[in-house]
Coordinates of all heavy atoms in Angstrom, one line a residue:
M472 N 0.8 -1.2 0.0 CA 0.0 0.0 0.0 C 0.9 1.2 0.0 O 1.8 1.4 0.8 CB -0.9 0.0 1.2 CG -1.8 1.2 1.3 SD -3.2 0.9 2.4 CE -2.5 1.0 4.0
M473 N 0.6 2.1 -0.9 CA 1.4 3.3 -1.0 C 0.8 4.5 -0.3 O -0.5 4.5 -0.1 CB 1.6 3.7 -2.5 CG 2.4 2.6 -3.3 SD 2.5 3.0 -5.0 CE 3.4 4.5 -5.0
D474 N 1.6 5.4 0.2 CA 1.0 6.5 1.0 C 0.1 7.5 0.2 O -0.8 8.0 0.6 CB 2.1 7.3 1.7 CG 2.8 6.5 2.7 OD1 2.2 5.6 3.3 OD2 4.0 6.8 3.0
G475 N 0.4 7.6 -1.1 CA -0.3 8.6 -1.9 C -1.6 8.0 -2.5 O -2.4 8.7 -3.2
E476 N -1.9 6.7 -2.4 CA -3.0 6.2 -3.0 C -4.3 6.5 -2.3 O -4.3 6.5 -1.1 CB -2.9 4.6 -3.1 CG -1.9 4.2 -4.1 CD -1.9 2.7 -4.3 OE1 -2.9 2.0 -3.9 OE2 -0.9 2.1 -4.7
I477 N -5.4 6.7 -3.0 CA -6.7 7.0 -2.4 C -7.6 5.8 -2.8 O -7.8 5.6 -4.0 CB -7.2 8.3 -2.9 CG1 -6.3 9.5 -2.4 CG2 -8.7 8.5 -2.3 CD1 -6.8 10.8 -2.9
F478 N -8.1 5.1 -1.8 CA -9.0 4.0 -2.1 C -10.4 4.4 -2.0 O -10.8 5.1 -1.1 CB -8.8 2.8 -1.1 CG -7.4 2.2 -1.3 CD1 -6.4 2.5 -0.4 CD2 -7.1 1.3 -2.3 CE1 -5.1 2.0 -0.6 CE2 -5.9 0.8 -2.5 CZ -4.9 1.1 -1.6
T479 N -11.2 4.0 -3.0 CA -12.6 4.4 -3.0 C -13.4 3.1 -2.6 O -13.0 2.0 -2.9 CB -13.1 4.8 -4.4 OG1 -12.9 3.8 -5.3 CG2 -12.4 6.1 -4.8
A480 N -14.4 3.3 -1.8 CA -15.2 2.2 -1.4 C -16.1 1.7 -2.5 O -16.7 2.4 -3.3 CB -16.1 2.6 -0.2
T481 N -16.1 0.4 -2.7 CA -16.9 -0.2 -3.8 C -18.4 -0.3 -3.5 O -19.2 -0.4 -4.3 CB -16.4 -1.6 -4.1 OG1 -16.5 -2.4 -2.9 CG2 -15.0 -1.6 -4.5
L482 N -18.8 -0.2 -2.2 CA -20.2 -0.3 -1.8 C -20.9 1.1 -1.9 O -22.1 1.2 -2.0 CB -20.3 -0.8 -0.4 CG -19.8 -2.2 -0.2 CD1 -20.0 -2.6 1.3 CD2 -20.6 -3.2 -1.0
V483 N -20.1 2.2 -2.0 CA -20.7 3.5 -2.1 C -20.9 3.9 -3.5 O -19.9 3.9 -4.3 CB -19.8 4.6 -1.3 CG1 -20.4 6.0 -1.5 CG2 -19.6 4.2 0.1
P484 N -22.1 4.1 -4.0 CA -22.3 4.5 -5.4 C -21.7 5.9 -5.7 O -21.7 6.7 -4.8 CB -23.8 4.4 -5.6 CG -24.4 4.7 -4.3 CD -23.4 4.1 -3.3
S485 N -21.3 6.1 -6.9 CA -20.8 7.3 -7.3 C -21.9 8.3 -7.4 O -23.1 8.0 -7.4 CB -20.1 7.3 -8.7 OG -21.0 6.8 -9.7
G486 N -21.6 9.6 -7.5 CA -22.6 10.7 -7.4 C -23.6 10.7 -8.6 O -24.8 11.1 -8.4
N487 N -23.2 10.2 -9.8 CA -24.1 10.3 -10.9 C -25.0 9.1 -11.1 O -25.9 9.1 -11.9 CB -23.3 10.5 -12.2 CG -22.3 9.4 -12.5 OD1 -22.2 8.5 -11.6 ND2 -21.6 9.5 -13.5
M488 N -24.8 8.0 -10.2 CA -25.6 6.9 -10.3 C -26.6 6.9 -9.2 O -26.3 7.1 -8.1 CB -24.8 5.6 -10.2 CG -23.8 5.4 -11.4 SD -22.8 3.9 -11.2 CE -24.0 2.7 -11.2
T489 N -27.9 6.5 -9.5 CA -28.9 6.4 -8.5 C -29.1 4.9 -8.0 O -29.1 4.1 -8.9 CB -30.3 6.9 -9.0 OG1 -30.7 6.2 -10.1 CG2 -30.2 8.4 -9.3
P490 N -29.0 4.7 -6.8 CA -29.1 3.3 -6.4 C -30.6 2.7 -6.5 O -31.5 3.5 -6.4 CB -28.8 3.3 -4.9 CG -29.1 4.7 -4.4 CD -28.8 5.6 -5.7
N491 N -30.7 1.5 -6.9 CA -32.0 0.9 -7.1 C -32.4 0.4 -5.8 O -32.0 -0.7 -5.3 CB -31.9 -0.3 -8.1 CG -33.2 -0.8 -8.5 OD1 -34.2 -0.3 -8.1 ND2 -33.2 -1.9 -9.3
S492 N -33.4 1.1 -5.1 CA -33.8 0.7 -3.8 C -35.0 -0.2 -3.8 O -35.5 -0.6 -2.7 CB -34.1 2.0 -3.0 OG -35.2 2.7 -3.6
S493 N -35.6 -0.5 -4.9 CA -36.8 -1.3 -4.9 C -36.4 -2.8 -4.8 O -35.4 -3.2 -5.3 CB -37.6 -1.1 -6.2 OG -36.8 -1.5 -7.3
M494 N -37.1 -3.5 -4.0 CA -36.9 -5.0 -3.8 C -37.7 -5.8 -4.8 O -38.8 -5.4 -5.2 CB -37.3 -5.4 -2.4 CG -36.4 -4.7 -1.3 SD -37.0 -5.0 0.3 CE -36.8 -6.8 0.4
T495 N -37.1 -6.9 -5.3 CA -37.8 -7.8 -6.2 C -38.9 -8.6 -5.3 O -38.8 -8.6 -4.1 CB -36.9 -8.7 -6.9 OG1 -36.2 -9.6 -5.9 CG2 -35.8 -7.9 -7.7
L496 N -39.7 -9.3 -6.0 CA -40.8 -10.1 -5.3 C -40.1 -11.2 -4.6 O -40.6 -11.5 -3.5 CB -41.7 -10.6 -6.4 CG -42.9 -11.5 -5.9 CD1 -43.7 -10.6 -4.9 CD2 -43.7 -12.1 -7.0
E497 N -39.0 -11.8 -5.1 CA -38.3 -12.9 -4.4 C -37.7 -12.3 -3.1 O -37.8 -13.0 -2.1 CB -37.3 -13.5 -5.3 CG -37.8 -14.3 -6.4 CD -36.7 -14.8 -7.3 OE1 -35.5 -14.5 -7.1 OE2 -37.0 -15.6 -8.2
Q498 N -37.1 -11.1 -3.1 CA -36.5 -10.5 -2.0 C -37.6 -10.2 -0.9 O -37.4 -10.4 0.3 CB -35.7 -9.3 -2.3 CG -34.5 -9.6 -3.1 CD -33.8 -8.3 -3.6 OE1 -34.5 -7.3 -3.7 NE2 -32.5 -8.4 -3.8
K499 N -38.7 -9.7 -1.3 CA -39.8 -9.4 -0.4 C -40.4 -10.7 0.3 O -40.6 -10.7 1.4 CB -41.0 -8.7 -1.1 CG -40.6 -7.3 -1.5 CD -41.8 -6.6 -2.3 CE -41.4 -5.2 -2.7 NZ -42.5 -4.6 -3.5
T500 N -40.5 -11.7 -0.6 CA -41.0 -13.0 0.0 C -40.0 -13.6 1.0 O -40.4 -14.1 2.0 CB -41.2 -14.0 -1.2 OG1 -42.1 -13.4 -2.1 CG2 -41.8 -15.3 -0.7
T501 N -38.7 -13.5 0.6 CA -37.7 -14.0 1.5 C -37.7 -13.2 2.8 O -37.5 -13.8 3.9 CB -36.3 -14.0 0.9 OG1 -36.4 -14.7 -0.4 CG2 -35.3 -14.6 1.7
F502 N -37.8 -11.9 2.7 CA -37.8 -11.1 3.9 C -39.0 -11.4 4.8 O -38.8 -11.5 6.0 CB -37.8 -9.6 3.4 CG -37.7 -8.6 4.6 CD1 -36.4 -8.5 5.2 CD2 -38.7 -7.8 5.0 CE1 -36.3 -7.6 6.2 CE2 -38.6 -7.0 6.0 CZ -37.3 -6.8 6.6
A503 N -40.2 -11.5 4.2 CA -41.3 -11.9 5.0 C -41.2 -13.3 5.7 O -41.6 -13.4 6.8 CB -42.6 -11.8 4.1
F504 N -40.6 -14.2 4.9 CA -40.4 -15.5 5.5 C -39.5 -15.5 6.7 O -39.7 -16.2 7.7 CB -39.9 -16.5 4.4 CG -39.8 -17.9 4.8 CD1 -40.9 -18.7 5.2 CD2 -38.6 -18.5 5.0 CE1 -40.8 -20.0 5.6 CE2 -38.4 -19.8 5.4 CZ -39.5 -20.6 5.7
V505 N -38.4 -14.7 6.5 CA -37.4 -14.7 7.6 C -38.0 -14.0 8.8 O -37.8 -14.4 10.0 CB -36.2 -13.9 7.2 CG1 -35.3 -13.5 8.3 CG2 -35.4 -14.7 6.1
I506 N -38.9 -12.9 8.6 CA -39.6 -12.3 9.7 C -40.5 -13.3 10.5 O -40.5 -13.3 11.7 CB -40.3 -11.0 9.2 CG1 -39.4 -10.0 8.7 CG2 -41.2 -10.5 10.3 CD1 -38.5 -9.4 9.8
L507 N -41.2 -14.1 9.7 CA -42.1 -15.1 10.3 C -41.3 -16.1 11.1 O -41.7 -16.6 12.1 CB -42.9 -15.8 9.2 CG -44.1 -14.9 8.6 CD1 -44.7 -15.7 7.5 CD2 -45.1 -14.5 9.7
L508 N -40.1 -16.5 10.6 CA -39.3 -17.4 11.3 C -38.8 -16.8 12.6 O -38.7 -17.6 13.6 CB -38.1 -17.9 10.4 CG -38.4 -18.9 9.3 CD1 -37.1 -19.2 8.6 CD2 -38.9 -20.2 10.0
F509 N -38.4 -15.6 12.6 CA -38.0 -14.9 13.8 C -39.1 -14.8 14.8 O -38.9 -15.0 16.1 CB -37.5 -13.5 13.6 CG -36.0 -13.5 13.2 CD1 -35.6 -13.0 12.0 CD2 -35.0 -14.1 14.0 CE1 -34.2 -13.0 11.6 CE2 -33.7 -14.1 13.7 CZ -33.3 -13.6 12.4
I510 N -40.4 -14.6 14.4 CA -41.5 -14.5 15.3 C -41.8 -15.9 15.9 O -42.0 -16.1 17.1 CB -42.8 -14.0 14.5 CG1 -42.6 -12.5 14.2 CG2 -44.0 -14.2 15.4 CD1 -43.7 -12.0 13.3
F511 N -41.7 -16.9 15.0 CA -41.9 -18.3 15.5 C -40.8 -18.7 16.5 O -41.0 -19.3 17.5 CB -41.9 -19.3 14.3 CG -42.1 -20.7 14.7 CD1 -43.3 -21.1 15.2 CD2 -41.1 -21.6 14.5 CE1 -43.6 -22.4 15.5 CE2 -41.3 -23.0 14.9 CZ -42.6 -23.4 15.3
L512 N -39.5 -18.3 16.2 CA -38.4 -18.6 17.2 C -38.6 -17.8 18.5 O -38.4 -18.4 19.6 CB -37.1 -18.1 16.5 CG -35.9 -18.3 17.4 CD1 -35.6 -19.8 17.6 CD2 -34.7 -17.6 16.7
G513 N -39.1 -16.6 18.5 CA -39.4 -15.9 19.7 C -40.5 -16.6 20.5 O -40.4 -16.7 21.7
I514 N -41.5 -17.1 19.9 CA -42.6 -17.8 20.6 C -42.1 -19.1 21.2 O -42.4 -19.4 22.4 CB -43.8 -18.1 19.6 CG1 -44.5 -16.8 19.2 CG2 -44.8 -19.1 20.2 CD1 -45.5 -17.0 18.1
L515 N -41.2 -19.8 20.5 CA -40.7 -21.0 21.0 C -39.7 -20.7 22.2 O -39.7 -21.5 23.2 CB -39.9 -21.8 20.0 CG -40.7 -22.5 18.9 CD1 -39.8 -23.2 17.9 CD2 -41.6 -23.5 19.6
I516 N -39.0 -19.6 22.1 CA -38.1 -19.3 23.2 C -38.9 -18.9 24.5 O -38.5 -19.4 25.6 CB -37.1 -18.1 22.8 CG1 -36.1 -18.6 21.8 CG2 -36.5 -17.5 24.0 CD1 -35.3 -17.5 21.2
V517 N -39.9 -18.2 24.3 CA -40.8 -17.8 25.5 C -41.4 -19.1 26.0 O -41.5 -19.2 27.3 CB -41.9 -16.8 25.0 CG1 -42.9 -16.6 26.1 CG2 -41.2 -15.4 24.7
R518 N -41.9 -20.0 25.2 CA -42.5 -21.2 25.7 C -41.5 -22.1 26.5 O -41.8 -22.6 27.5 CB -43.1 -22.0 24.5 CG -43.8 -23.3 24.9 CD -44.4 -23.9 23.7 NE -44.7 -25.3 23.9 CZ -45.9 -25.7 24.5 NH1 -46.8 -24.8 24.9 NH2 -46.1 -27.0 24.7
C519 N -40.3 -22.2 25.9 CA -39.3 -23.0 26.6 C -38.9 -22.4 27.9 O -38.7 -23.1 28.9 CB -38.1 -23.1 25.7 SG -38.3 -24.2 24.3
F520 N -38.8 -21.1 28.0 CA -38.4 -20.4 29.3 C -39.6 -20.6 30.3 O -39.3 -20.8 31.5 CB -38.1 -19.0 29.1 CG -36.7 -18.7 28.8 CD1 -36.3 -18.2 27.5 CD2 -35.7 -19.0 29.7 CE1 -35.0 -18.0 27.2 CE2 -34.3 -18.8 29.4 CZ -34.0 -18.3 28.1
R521 N -40.8 -20.6 29.9 CA -41.9 -20.8 30.8 C -41.9 -22.2 31.3 O -42.2 -22.5 32.5 CB -43.2 -20.5 30.1 CG -43.4 -19.0 29.9 CD -44.7 -18.7 29.2 NE -45.9 -19.0 30.1 CZ -47.1 -19.1 29.7 NH1 -47.4 -18.9 28.4 NH2 -48.1 -19.4 30.5
I522 N -41.6 -23.2 30.5 CA -41.5 -24.6 30.9 C -40.3 -24.8 31.9 O -40.4 -25.5 32.9 CB -41.4 -25.5 29.7 CG1 -42.7 -25.5 28.9 CG2 -41.0 -26.9 30.1 CD1 -42.7 -26.3 27.6
I523 N -39.2 -24.1 31.6 CA -38.0 -24.3 32.5 C -38.3 -23.6 33.8 O -37.9 -24.2 34.9 CB -36.8 -23.6 31.8 CG1 -36.3 -24.5 30.6 CG2 -35.7 -23.4 32.8 CD1 -35.2 -23.8 29.8
L524 N -39.0 -22.5 33.9 CA -39.2 -21.8 35.1 C -40.3 -22.5 35.9 O -40.2 -22.5 37.2 CB -39.7 -20.4 34.9 CG -38.6 -19.5 34.3 CD1 -39.1 -18.1 34.0 CD2 -37.4 -19.4 35.2
D525 N -41.3 -23.1 35.3 CA -42.4 -23.8 36.1 C -42.7 -25.1 35.3 O -43.7 -25.1 34.6 CB -43.6 -22.9 36.2 CG -44.6 -23.5 37.2 OD1 -44.3 -24.4 37.9 OD2 -45.7 -22.9 37.2
P526 N -41.9 -26.1 35.5 CA -42.1 -27.4 34.7 C -43.4 -28.1 35.0 O -43.9 -28.9 34.2 CB -40.9 -28.2 35.0 CG -40.4 -27.7 36.3 CD -40.8 -26.3 36.3
Y527 N -43.9 -27.9 36.2 CA -45.1 -28.7 36.7 C -46.4 -28.1 36.3 O -47.5 -28.6 36.5 CB -45.1 -29.0 38.2 CG -43.8 -29.8 38.6 CD1 -42.8 -29.2 39.2 CD2 -43.7 -31.1 38.2 CE1 -41.7 -29.9 39.6 CE2 -42.6 -31.8 38.5 CZ -41.6 -31.2 39.2 OH -40.5 -31.9 39.6
Q528 N -46.4 -26.9 35.7 CA -47.6 -26.2 35.3 C -48.2 -26.9 34.1 O -49.5 -27.0 34.0 CB -47.3 -24.7 34.9 CG -48.4 -24.0 34.4 CD -48.1 -22.6 33.9 OE1 -46.9 -22.3 33.8 NE2 -49.0 -21.8 33.5
S529 N -47.4 -27.4 33.2 CA -48.0 -28.0 32.0 C -48.4 -29.5 32.2 O -49.0 -30.0 31.3 CB -47.0 -27.9 30.8 OG -45.8 -28.6 31.2
M530 N -48.0 -30.1 33.3 CA -48.4 -31.5 33.5 C -49.9 -31.5 34.0 O -50.3 -30.7 34.8 CB -47.5 -32.1 34.5 CG -46.0 -32.2 34.1 SD -44.9 -32.8 35.3 CE -45.6 -34.5 35.5
P531 N -50.6 -32.5 33.5 CA -52.0 -32.7 34.0 C -52.0 -33.2 35.4 O -51.1 -33.9 35.9 CB -52.6 -33.7 33.1 CG -51.4 -34.5 32.5 CD -50.2 -33.5 32.5
T532 N -53.0 -32.8 36.2 CA -53.1 -33.2 37.6 C -53.6 -34.7 37.7 O -53.3 -35.3 38.7 CB -54.1 -32.3 38.3 OG1 -55.3 -32.3 37.7 CG2 -53.5 -30.9 38.4
S533 N -54.3 -35.2 36.7 CA -54.8 -36.6 36.8 C -53.8 -37.5 36.2 O -53.0 -37.1 35.4 CB -56.2 -36.7 36.2 OG -56.0 -36.4 34.8
T534 N -53.9 -38.8 36.5 CA -53.0 -39.8 35.9 C -53.8 -40.5 34.8 O -55.0 -40.3 34.6 CB -52.6 -40.8 36.9 OG1 -53.7 -41.5 37.5 CG2 -51.8 -40.2 38.0
W535 N -53.1 -41.3 34.0 CA -53.7 -42.0 32.9 C -54.7 -43.1 33.3 O -55.6 -43.5 32.5 CB -52.7 -42.6 31.9 CG -51.8 -43.6 32.6 CD1 -50.7 -43.3 33.3 CD2 -52.0 -45.0 32.7 NE1 -50.1 -44.5 33.8 CE2 -50.9 -45.5 33.4 CE3 -53.0 -45.9 32.2 CZ2 -50.8 -46.9 33.6 CZ3 -52.8 -47.2 32.4 CH2 -51.8 -47.7 33.2
A536 N -54.6 -43.5 34.5 CA -55.5 -44.6 34.9 C -56.7 -44.1 35.8 O -57.4 -44.9 36.4 CB -54.7 -45.6 35.7
D537 N -56.9 -42.8 35.9 CA -58.0 -42.3 36.8 C -59.4 -42.7 36.2 O -60.3 -42.9 37.0 CB -57.9 -40.8 36.9 CG -56.9 -40.4 37.9 OD1 -56.4 -41.3 38.7 OD2 -56.5 -39.2 37.9
G538 N -59.5 -42.8 34.9 CA -60.8 -43.1 34.4 C -61.2 -44.6 34.4 O -62.3 -45.0 34.1
L539 N -60.3 -45.5 34.8 CA -60.6 -46.9 34.8 C -61.2 -47.3 36.2 O -60.5 -47.1 37.2 CB -59.3 -47.7 34.5 CG -58.6 -47.4 33.2 CD1 -57.3 -48.2 33.1 CD2 -59.5 -47.7 32.1
D540 N -62.4 -47.8 36.2 CA -63.0 -48.2 37.4 C -62.7 -49.6 37.8 O -62.8 -50.6 37.0 CB -64.5 -48.1 37.3 CG -64.9 -46.6 37.1 OD1 -64.2 -45.8 37.6 OD2 -65.9 -46.4 36.4
G541 N -62.2 -49.8 39.0 CA -61.9 -51.2 39.5 C -60.6 -51.8 38.9 O -60.5 -53.0 39.1
L542 N -59.8 -51.1 38.3 CA -58.6 -51.6 37.7 C -57.4 -51.0 38.4 O -57.4 -49.8 38.7 CB -58.5 -51.4 36.2 CG -59.6 -52.1 35.4 CD1 -59.4 -51.7 33.9 CD2 -59.5 -53.6 35.5
E543 N -56.3 -51.8 38.5 CA -55.1 -51.2 38.9 C -54.3 -50.6 37.7 O -54.7 -50.8 36.6 CB -54.2 -52.3 39.5 CG -54.8 -52.9 40.8 CD -54.9 -51.9 42.0 OE1 -54.0 -51.1 42.1 OE2 -55.9 -52.0 42.7
K544 N -53.3 -49.8 38.0 CA -52.6 -49.2 36.9 C -51.9 -50.2 36.0 O -51.8 -49.9 34.8 CB -51.5 -48.2 37.5 CG -52.1 -47.0 38.0 CD -51.0 -46.0 38.4 CE -51.7 -44.7 38.9 NZ -50.6 -43.7 39.2
G545 N -51.5 -51.3 36.4 CA -50.8 -52.3 35.6 C -51.8 -53.1 34.8 O -51.4 -53.9 33.9
Q546 N -53.1 -53.0 35.0 CA -54.1 -53.9 34.3 C -54.7 -53.1 33.1 O -55.7 -53.6 32.6 CB -55.2 -54.3 35.3 CG -54.6 -55.2 36.4 CD -55.7 -55.5 37.4 OE1 -56.8 -54.8 37.4 NE2 -55.5 -56.5 38.2
F547 N -54.1 -52.1 32.6 CA -54.7 -51.3 31.5 C -54.8 -52.1 30.2 O -55.7 -52.0 29.5 CB -53.9 -50.0 31.3 CG -54.5 -49.1 30.3 CD1 -55.7 -48.5 30.5 CD2 -53.9 -49.0 29.1 CE1 -56.3 -47.7 29.5 CE2 -54.4 -48.2 28.1 CZ -55.6 -47.5 28.3
D548 N -53.7 -52.9 30.0 CA -53.7 -53.7 28.7 C -54.8 -54.7 28.7 O -55.4 -55.0 27.6 CB -52.4 -54.4 28.6 CG -51.2 -53.5 28.5 OD1 -51.4 -52.4 28.0 OD2 -50.1 -53.8 28.9
Y549 N -55.2 -55.3 29.8 CA -56.3 -56.2 29.8 C -57.7 -55.6 29.6 O -58.6 -56.2 29.1 CB -56.3 -57.0 31.1 CG -55.1 -57.8 31.3 CD1 -54.2 -57.4 32.3 CD2 -54.7 -58.9 30.5 CE1 -53.0 -58.1 32.5 CE2 -53.5 -59.6 30.7 CZ -52.7 -59.2 31.7 OH -51.5 -59.9 31.9
A550 N -57.8 -54.3 29.9 CA -59.1 -53.6 29.7 C -59.3 -53.4 28.3 O -60.5 -53.2 27.9 CB -59.1 -52.3 30.5
L551 N -58.3 -53.3 27.4 CA -58.5 -53.0 26.0 C -59.0 -54.2 25.3 O -59.6 -54.1 24.3 CB -57.2 -52.5 25.4 CG -56.7 -51.1 25.9 CD1 -55.4 -50.8 25.3 CD2 -57.7 -50.1 25.5
A552 N -58.6 -55.4 25.7 CA -58.9 -56.7 25.0 C -60.4 -57.1 25.2 O -61.1 -56.6 26.0 CB -58.0 -57.8 25.5

C-alpha cells in the first residue's frame, strides 16, 4: 500500500448513479419468511423459558388410569382386549 493512493469504497455508489432501492418479489417474499421465522423462534423461546421456570404447570393433575373403574394401573392392557 502506497501513502499517496486513495482507495474508494466499492459499496458507495458514485454521485451520478442512483441506487436501485426497490426490492424484487423474491426478496420481499424471503424477507417476510425470515420475519415469520423470527416470530416463531421468539414464541418457542418464550414457551421454553416458561417450561423451564415452572415445569409442573404444563403437567396434568390426573393420571392416565384415573378413568378406569376397578382396575389397577398395571391392568390397563387387559381392559383394552
Side-chain angles (χ1 to χ4, degrees):
M472 180 163 71
M473 298 174 62
D474 293 333
E476 288 184 21
I477 299 173
F478 293 101
T479 59
T481 58
L482 297 177
V483 177
S485 61
N487 59 359
M488 294 178 63
T489 58
N491 188 6
S492 63
S493 64
M494 295 174 61
T495 64
L496 182 61
E497 291 177 354
Q498 289 173 336
K499 290 178 182 177
T500 306
T501 305
F502 186 71
F504 184 69
V505 168
I506 294 297
L507 287 175
L508 283 178
F509 275 121
I510 291 171
F511 183 68
L512 179 65
I514 291 170
L515 286 180
I516 288 173
V517 168
R518 179 176 165 86
C519 288
F520 273 114
R521 289 179 68 191
I522 291 173
I523 288 172
L524 293 176
D525 191 10
Y527 298 109
Q528 176 188 8
S529 61
M530 294 178 65
T532 56
S533 62
T534 60
W535 58 272
D537 281 348
L539 301 176
D540 295 328
L542 295 176
E543 297 294 325
K544 285 188 178 182
Q546 296 176 344
F547 182 71
D548 293 334
Y549 300 111
L551 293 176

